[in-house]
Amino acid sequence: MFGDDGPPLSSSTVPSLMAAMLDALAVEPGMSVVEIGAGTGYNAGIPARLAGDDNVTTVDIEPDVATTARRALTAAGHPHVTVVHTDGTQPPAAPRSLDRLIATCGVDRVPKTWLAAVRPGSRLVLPLGTGVVCLTVDEHGHAEGPFLATPAYFMGLRTTAGSNGIP
């Protein structure tokens, strides 16, 4: 999708990379999952099949992208996945309430708000720099974990402040 002035608003990632990211996310039935970067909605549909539609939320800063994702998820049989038009740096979740967070936009550092949104023992999978990291959060809100064995280049996280996640 392209904006009125030409820059891309959303893009689709190679399916094998998304499969590796979703595998690393390790979603189980009943888990609460937030995806940052709704895109086409496809990537939210997979955790919805695993965790249940009512447990999955996908967000996007672009209203047209969120609308497109909502339509696609409904058409694919996932009408109860929550789609939110909002700044992805502010996940729509209470502190320490999420089991999983996946980002489909690149960042150069993990937003503190993402770490604050997940429970101890939770997992975050996100493009960091030019790779994808799989982090586990401890009881102090610190996260560590390995990079997946593949390079990755994602559109940067855009915020209402106008900043991009990757300089």
Side-chain angles (χ1 to χ4, degrees), residues 20-81:
M21 290 176 69
L22 288 164
D23 185 51
L25 196 62
V27 174
E28 296 178 11
M31 286 185 165
S32 57
V33 181
V34 166
E35 175 193 29
I36 309 298
T40 64
Y42 178 84
N43 206 53
I46 295 172
R49 290 234 184 233
L50 300 169
D53 284 15
D54 293 334
N55 297 318
V56 176
T57 299
T58 185
V59 304
D60 207 285
I61 195 166
E62 292 294 334
D64 290 345
V65 173
T67 298
T68 299
R70 158 62 34 235
R71 287 182 187 137
L73 283 160
T74 299
H78 296 288
H80 300 292
V81 170

